[in-house]
Amino acid sequence: MKAIVYTRYGPPDVLELKQVQKPIPKENEILVKVKATTVTVADIRSRSFTVPPAFWLPARITLGLRKPKKGILGMELAGEVELVGKNVKRFKQGDQVFAASLTGFGAYAEYKCLEEDGPVAIKPSNITYGEAAAIPIGARTALYFLRRTGVKSGQSV
Amino acid sequence: MELVKSLGADNVIDYTVEDFSSTDETYDVIFEAVNKSSFSACMKLLKNNGTYINVTEPLPSVEMLWTKLTSSKRLLLSRNSPETSEALNFLKELVEMGKLKVVVDRYYSLDEIVEAHRYVEKGHKIGNVVINMEHTHLI
């Protein structure tokens, strides 16, 4: 399959279109044919390795010390389920889904395997794949924090 | 301005012409999404028992710790949200009811990824930047 790969940290030009192995879903995973993904600030930072000095070492250990561990960026996606692992119950072939791959990255590719019980759900029916791909990171984060505040109707935000 | 209002905001302050901290409006919740406004200015506008959220800053500054110790204001700093599908299912419902709108600034194809990254890196995207695989002409 085709994917956007980066083998060193640096400017946008480090991203290259390459041929890579198509992933095979494990028993608890689904294989999604990616229809859309996004460019988030997290992708930009992971590519260029711009992090605050205090985070340099932990971030470098997480992302890869000498070169990126996960060669394919992309943290959110929308697409169609092509195959399901044998223990998968929530999804079937042909389902239209949207998902966050988070620090697993890997959405800048034709296919991505996702764990069935991770942040993946059936895509809203009234929007395109492109729009659905834009929801998982931003809207999940906003929702999570707003719920933690316990914000109520009529309050000033 | 019009875009933000169309998404459901009652009041919008244009930061290029008005300093949000120069008004005497106070708030129950202040949500700092991109870490651009000063913490002390936010504290001035936050009501007692109000909540300050900063989704990009994981470590509290000395000033934040001091506020935590000495006031009834609540601070929520960057943390990863749970890795489950519950939130996505809820967001799906909101989108289908028309209560949550998705803003896409630009679409690119996969082979234009370098340009897409250059654009986002400038830091002025308005909404999301989407890569559409279907419009991609692969080698």
Side-chain angles (χ1 to χ4, degrees):
Chain A
M1 68 167 182
K2 305 287 195 315
I4 299 296
V5 177
Y6 77 129
T7 52
R8 60 188 171 91
Y9 300 112
D13 313 278
V14 301
L15 301 170
E16 288 176 281
L17 187 60
K18 282 189 176 167
Q19 190 72 35
V20 301
Q21 198 76 37
K22 182 175 168 181
I24 299 162
K26 295 184 190 131
E27 291 180 347
N28 64 334
E29 285 181 343
I30 59 175
L31 177 72
V32 178
K33 182 164 176 45
V34 179
K35 303 275 191 181
T37 177
T38 63
V39 181
T40 61
V41 173
D43 292 315
I44 299 289
R45 290 197 185 138
S46 306
R47 188 209 73 231
S48 59
F49 205 80
T50 34
V51 296
F55 290 98
W56 197 94
L57 193 59
R60 201 74 180 196
I61 289 168
T62 309
L63 289 171
L65 269 177
R66 298 177 62 184
K67 62 189 185 73
K69 266 195 266 189
K70 311 264 182 189
I72 304 174
L73 293 170
M75 301 181 91
E76 50 187 354
L77 63 97
E80 191 178 306
V81 176
E82 186 167 282
L83 266 180
V84 298
K86 77 172 187 352
N87 296 340
V88 170
K89 305 230 161 40
R90 287 177 52 220
F91 300 99
K92 59 179 191 311
Q93 198 182 353
D95 280 348
Q96 302 190 345
V97 296
F98 69 135
S101 56
L102 304 173
T103 49
F105 293 102
Y108 291 179
E110 281 183 276
Y111 294 92
K112 170 73 185 158
C113 285
L114 297 165
E115 284 181 24
E116 173 191 29
D117 53 8
V120 49
I122 298 291
K123 142 184 146 12
S125 53
N126 56 338
I127 58 171
T128 63
Y129 281 117
E131 291 166 325
I135 294 176
I137 301 295
R140 278 174 79 252
T141 305
L143 175 67
Y144 174 60
F145 281 94
L146 288 173
R147 279 177 170 171
R148 282 174 68 201
T149 64
V151 66
K152 286 178 202 72
S153 193
Q155 284 191 327
S156 177
V157 180
Chain B
M1 296 285 284
E2 288 313 309
L3 172 72
V4 181
K5 279 191 184 148
S6 78
L7 296 175
D10 298 316
N11 296 305
V12 184
I13 301 166
D14 181 351
Y15 69 88
T16 61
V17 291
E18 195 186 347
D19 178 4
F20 75 98
S21 60
S22 64
T23 67
D24 35 350
E25 187 84 42
T26 59
Y27 301 93
D28 297 296
V29 178
I30 294 179
F31 193 115
E32 168 59 90
V34 292
N35 219 2
K36 293 276 185 214
S37 42
S38 97
F39 177 70
S40 54
C42 290
M43 284 309 105
K44 223 176 67 192
L45 305 185
L46 187 64
K47 292 179 186 168
N48 285 328
N49 300 315
T51 307
Y52 167 84
I53 304 170
N54 185 324
V55 296
T56 63
E57 184 56 71
L59 286 185
S61 63
V62 174
E63 207 182 348
M64 289 179 186
L65 290 171
W66 181 249
T67 304
K68 265 190 162 169
L69 284 172
T70 57
S71 79
S72 59
K73 293 169 182 173
R74 219 173 131 215
L75 311 184
L76 298 179
L77 299 183
S78 172
R79 211 203 272 176
N80 289 334
S81 50
E83 297 189 8
T84 66
S85 61
E86 187 277 327
L88 286 180
N89 283 317
F90 179 74
L91 292 166
K92 171 183 186 289
E93 302 294 312
L94 290 186
V95 169
E96 287 175 348
M97 289 189 287
K99 290 188 174 171
L100 176 68
K101 295 181 190 122
V102 184
V103 180
V104 176
D105 181 356
R106 289 188 182 188
Y107 289 97
Y108 290 89
S109 60
L110 192 64
D111 38 17
E112 297 170 323
I113 192 96
V114 172
E115 285 146 67
H117 265 244
R118 279 201 193 111
Y119 178 62
V120 176
E121 199 154 61
K122 284 189 211 147
H124 298 295
K125 73 180 167 94
I126 301 159
N128 297 279
V129 172
V130 171
I131 307 292
N132 242 334
M133 309 290 274
E134 289 182 322
H135 301 159
T136 299
H137 306 286
L138 296 165
I139 315 176

